[in-house]
Amino acid sequence: MRLWHEELISKLPRQQLLGQHRECCALRGGGWGKKHRTVDYAFNHSPYKLVQYHEKVMLEMQRRHFKPDIKWFDPLYRGTRTPPYVDLPAVPLTHPIYPEHVVAYYQECLDNLATKNIYL
């Protein structure tokens, strides 16, 4: 479970990009707030930040001719097993989306990918 540094999204191999989409779907749905060391920081922010991050993942998927379910572009949508948000106030888009995505985290992600023999 990991949210890759957002600067890596466009460089991720197919498997990691599609895995990131599944991870975002899980976190937006029933996984929101469930403790996991590598994604706990996301829960310190509005769920709308995850929507923004997920949108970046899905736009990259579309750029590569994958077809994520259009329902996920709706910020209120949380999947088929979790009721949608009634209201989810928008938050300003920042760069990076998550302030935790600093240079050290970028390197941590590169190191993690290297353990999988992926070098970007």
Side-chain angles (χ1 to χ4, degrees):
M1 236 181 191
R2 171 179 301 277
L3 293 178
W4 297 108
H5 189 288
E6 71 180 84
E7 294 299 319
L8 293 174
I9 292 170
S10 65
K11 300 171 185 150
L12 289 172
R14 175 185 185 278
Q15 182 178 348
Q16 279 68 30
L17 179 64
L18 296 178
Q20 191 69 139
H21 172 58
R22 287 189 302 273
E23 182 69 23
C24 290
C25 293
L27 286 171
R28 284 180 63 182
W32 182 257
K34 291 188 178 168
K35 290 289 196 183
H36 193 283
R37 184 181 61 81
T38 58
V39 295
D40 277 355
Y41 66 87
F43 308 137
N44 295 328
H45 304 281
S46 166
Y48 200 87
K49 286 277 191 197
L50 180 59
V51 170
Q52 293 170 334
Y53 180 89
H54 191 197
E55 183 174 289
K56 189 168 188 157
V57 170
M58 292 187 293
L59 290 173
E60 178 61 22
M61 289 173 66
Q62 288 180 330
R63 188 185 74 74
R64 296 189 199 181
H65 306 288
F66 296 112
K67 297 178 190 229
D69 190 330
I70 200 79
K71 292 176 186 174
W72 286 110
F73 283 97
D74 177 354
L76 302 178
Y77 186 69
R78 300 187 71 197
T80 58
R81 296 187 195 143
T82 306
Y85 290 109
V86 174
D87 182 40
L88 182 61
V91 298
L93 180 62
T94 57
H95 184 78
I97 293 170
Y98 286 108
E100 292 82 0
H101 286 200
V102 294
V103 173
Y105 186 68
Y106 183 88
Q107 187 59 53
E108 182 182 322
C109 289
L110 288 177
D111 293 344
N112 181 283
L113 289 166
T115 67
K116 301 166 175 37
N117 290 318
I118 299 168
Y119 301 94
L120 304 178

mmCIF file of all heavy atoms in Angstrom, residues 26-44:
data_model
loop_
_atom_site.group_PDB
_atom_site.id
_atom_site.type_symbol
_atom_site.label_atom_id
_atom_site.label_comp_id
_atom_site.label_asym_id
_atom_site.label_seq_id
_atom_site.Cartn_x
_atom_site.Cartn_y
_atom_site.Cartn_z
ATOM 1 N N ALA A 26 -9.614 1.816 -3.461
ATOM 2 C CA ALA A 26 -9.786 1.189 -2.143
ATOM 3 C C ALA A 26 -9.772 2.237 -1.042
ATOM 4 O O ALA A 26 -10.603 2.198 -0.126
ATOM 5 C CB ALA A 26 -8.691 0.149 -1.913
ATOM 6 N N LEU A 27 -8.848 3.180 -1.122
ATOM 7 C CA LEU A 27 -8.760 4.215 -0.090
ATOM 8 C C LEU A 27 -9.963 5.152 -0.121
ATOM 9 O O LEU A 27 -10.442 5.583 0.931
ATOM 10 C CB LEU A 27 -7.469 5.021 -0.245
ATOM 11 C CG LEU A 27 -6.203 4.308 0.180
ATOM 12 C CD1 LEU A 27 -4.979 5.118 -0.222
ATOM 13 C CD2 LEU A 27 -6.203 4.032 1.677
ATOM 14 N N ARG A 28 -10.455 5.464 -1.296
ATOM 15 C CA ARG A 28 -11.623 6.334 -1.393
ATOM 16 C C ARG A 28 -12.874 5.633 -0.888
ATOM 17 O O ARG A 28 -13.807 6.286 -0.436
ATOM 18 C CB ARG A 28 -11.835 6.799 -2.836
ATOM 19 C CG ARG A 28 -10.850 7.879 -3.232
ATOM 20 C CD ARG A 28 -11.060 8.345 -4.636
ATOM 21 N NE ARG A 28 -12.374 8.959 -4.835
ATOM 22 C CZ ARG A 28 -12.797 9.406 -6.002
ATOM 23 N NH1 ARG A 28 -12.026 9.315 -7.080
ATOM 24 N NH2 ARG A 28 -13.999 9.950 -6.116
ATOM 25 N N GLY A 29 -12.900 4.335 -0.972
ATOM 26 C CA GLY A 29 -14.053 3.564 -0.509
ATOM 27 C C GLY A 29 -13.916 3.188 0.947
ATOM 28 O O GLY A 29 -13.624 4.025 1.799
ATOM 29 N N GLY A 30 -14.067 1.914 1.231
ATOM 30 C CA GLY A 30 -14.063 1.431 2.611
ATOM 31 C C GLY A 30 -12.719 1.510 3.311
ATOM 32 O O GLY A 30 -12.644 1.352 4.528
ATOM 33 N N GLY A 31 -11.650 1.770 2.560
ATOM 34 C CA GLY A 31 -10.328 1.843 3.178
ATOM 35 C C GLY A 31 -9.999 3.180 3.814
ATOM 36 O O GLY A 31 -8.978 3.312 4.490
ATOM 37 N N TRP A 32 -10.869 4.170 3.606
ATOM 38 C CA TRP A 32 -10.585 5.493 4.156
ATOM 39 C C TRP A 32 -10.501 5.428 5.688
ATOM 40 O O TRP A 32 -11.413 4.942 6.351
ATOM 41 C CB TRP A 32 -11.638 6.523 3.741
ATOM 42 C CG TRP A 32 -11.275 7.870 4.280
ATOM 43 C CD1 TRP A 32 -11.825 8.503 5.346
ATOM 44 C CD2 TRP A 32 -10.234 8.729 3.797
ATOM 45 N NE1 TRP A 32 -11.203 9.710 5.562
ATOM 46 C CE2 TRP A 32 -10.219 9.866 4.624
ATOM 47 C CE3 TRP A 32 -9.313 8.637 2.758
ATOM 48 C CZ2 TRP A 32 -9.309 10.919 4.432
ATOM 49 C CZ3 TRP A 32 -8.420 9.670 2.567
ATOM 50 C CH2 TRP A 32 -8.424 10.797 3.394
ATOM 51 N N GLY A 33 -9.378 5.885 6.217
ATOM 52 C CA GLY A 33 -9.188 5.928 7.668
ATOM 53 C C GLY A 33 -8.612 4.662 8.259
ATOM 54 O O GLY A 33 -8.288 4.633 9.443
ATOM 55 N N LYS A 34 -8.486 3.610 7.481
ATOM 56 C CA LYS A 34 -7.910 2.360 7.995
ATOM 57 C C LYS A 34 -6.397 2.491 8.015
ATOM 58 O O LYS A 34 -5.767 2.768 6.993
ATOM 59 C CB LYS A 34 -8.346 1.163 7.149
ATOM 60 C CG LYS A 34 -9.815 0.867 7.324
ATOM 61 C CD LYS A 34 -10.207 -0.424 6.660
ATOM 62 C CE LYS A 34 -11.696 -0.666 6.926
ATOM 63 N NZ LYS A 34 -12.226 -1.736 6.109
ATOM 64 N N LYS A 35 -5.834 2.287 9.179
ATOM 65 C CA LYS A 35 -4.420 2.512 9.401
ATOM 66 C C LYS A 35 -3.535 1.644 8.511
ATOM 67 O O LYS A 35 -3.761 0.458 8.378
ATOM 68 C CB LYS A 35 -4.057 2.241 10.863
ATOM 69 C CG LYS A 35 -4.614 3.267 11.823
ATOM 70 C CD LYS A 35 -3.891 4.557 11.640
ATOM 71 C CE LYS A 35 -4.116 5.504 12.801
ATOM 72 N NZ LYS A 35 -3.461 6.766 12.549
ATOM 73 N N HIS A 36 -2.547 2.289 7.906
ATOM 74 C CA HIS A 36 -1.472 1.607 7.191
ATOM 75 C C HIS A 36 -0.313 2.592 7.137
ATOM 76 O O HIS A 36 -0.466 3.711 6.655
ATOM 77 C CB HIS A 36 -1.894 1.193 5.788
ATOM 78 C CG HIS A 36 -0.940 0.230 5.168
ATOM 79 N ND1 HIS A 36 0.266 0.622 4.650
ATOM 80 C CD2 HIS A 36 -1.000 -1.111 5.020
ATOM 81 C CE1 HIS A 36 0.918 -0.432 4.190
ATOM 82 N NE2 HIS A 36 0.158 -1.499 4.401
ATOM 83 N N ARG A 37 0.830 2.160 7.613
ATOM 84 C CA ARG A 37 1.978 3.036 7.814
ATOM 85 C C ARG A 37 2.288 3.932 6.617
ATOM 86 O O ARG A 37 2.551 5.123 6.775
ATOM 87 C CB ARG A 37 3.204 2.205 8.183
ATOM 88 C CG ARG A 37 4.432 3.003 8.501
ATOM 89 C CD ARG A 37 5.620 2.114 8.828
ATOM 90 N NE ARG A 37 6.002 1.232 7.745
ATOM 91 C CZ ARG A 37 6.752 1.587 6.691
ATOM 92 N NH1 ARG A 37 7.202 2.810 6.596
ATOM 93 N NH2 ARG A 37 7.053 0.711 5.750
ATOM 94 N N THR A 38 2.242 3.396 5.419
ATOM 95 C CA THR A 38 2.681 4.171 4.258
ATOM 96 C C THR A 38 1.637 5.143 3.710
ATOM 97 O O THR A 38 1.984 5.992 2.899
ATOM 98 C CB THR A 38 3.166 3.254 3.116
ATOM 99 O OG1 THR A 38 2.112 2.377 2.764
ATOM 100 C CG2 THR A 38 4.395 2.481 3.514
ATOM 101 N N VAL A 39 0.390 5.029 4.135
ATOM 102 C CA VAL A 39 -0.635 5.966 3.634
ATOM 103 C C VAL A 39 -1.336 6.736 4.747
ATOM 104 O O VAL A 39 -2.220 7.539 4.453
ATOM 105 C CB VAL A 39 -1.696 5.256 2.755
ATOM 106 C CG1 VAL A 39 -1.083 4.717 1.490
ATOM 107 C CG2 VAL A 39 -2.432 4.194 3.522
ATOM 108 N N ASP A 40 -0.916 6.548 5.985
ATOM 109 C CA ASP A 40 -1.579 7.241 7.095
ATOM 110 C C ASP A 40 -1.621 8.756 6.917
ATOM 111 O O ASP A 40 -2.576 9.407 7.329
ATOM 112 C CB ASP A 40 -0.906 6.909 8.427
ATOM 113 C CG ASP A 40 -1.384 5.600 9.023
ATOM 114 O OD1 ASP A 40 -2.300 4.984 8.455
ATOM 115 O OD2 ASP A 40 -0.836 5.194 10.062
ATOM 116 N N TYR A 41 -0.591 9.323 6.307
ATOM 117 C CA TYR A 41 -0.549 10.780 6.142
ATOM 118 C C TYR A 41 -1.753 11.292 5.351
ATOM 119 O O TYR A 41 -2.209 12.415 5.564
ATOM 120 C CB TYR A 41 0.761 11.223 5.478
ATOM 121 C CG TYR A 41 0.933 10.767 4.050
ATOM 122 C CD1 TYR A 41 0.418 11.520 2.989
ATOM 123 C CD2 TYR A 41 1.604 9.592 3.741
ATOM 124 C CE1 TYR A 41 0.572 11.104 1.677
ATOM 125 C CE2 TYR A 41 1.768 9.170 2.433
ATOM 126 C CZ TYR A 41 1.246 9.931 1.407
ATOM 127 O OH TYR A 41 1.402 9.524 0.107
ATOM 128 N N ALA A 42 -2.280 10.478 4.453
ATOM 129 C CA ALA A 42 -3.423 10.912 3.640
ATOM 130 C C ALA A 42 -4.635 11.206 4.514
ATOM 131 O O ALA A 42 -5.442 12.087 4.192
ATOM 132 C CB ALA A 42 -3.773 9.855 2.600
ATOM 133 N N PHE A 43 -4.749 10.503 5.632
ATOM 134 C CA PHE A 43 -5.907 10.669 6.506
ATOM 135 C C PHE A 43 -5.824 11.950 7.334
ATOM 136 O O PHE A 43 -6.786 12.317 8.016
ATOM 137 C CB PHE A 43 -6.078 9.453 7.417
ATOM 138 C CG PHE A 43 -6.100 8.143 6.671
ATOM 139 C CD1 PHE A 43 -5.413 7.047 7.156
ATOM 140 C CD2 PHE A 43 -6.779 8.010 5.479
ATOM 141 C CE1 PHE A 43 -5.426 5.837 6.478
ATOM 142 C CE2 PHE A 43 -6.798 6.809 4.773
ATOM 143 C CZ PHE A 43 -6.104 5.720 5.278
ATOM 144 N N ASN A 44 -4.692 12.639 7.285
ATOM 145 C CA ASN A 44 -4.545 13.923 7.980
ATOM 146 C C ASN A 44 -5.077 15.077 7.137
ATOM 147 O O ASN A 44 -5.021 16.223 7.549
ATOM 148 C CB ASN A 44 -3.074 14.186 8.324
ATOM 149 C CG ASN A 44 -2.534 13.178 9.306
ATOM 150 O OD1 ASN A 44 -3.255 12.670 10.152
ATOM 151 N ND2 ASN A 44 -1.259 12.873 9.183
#
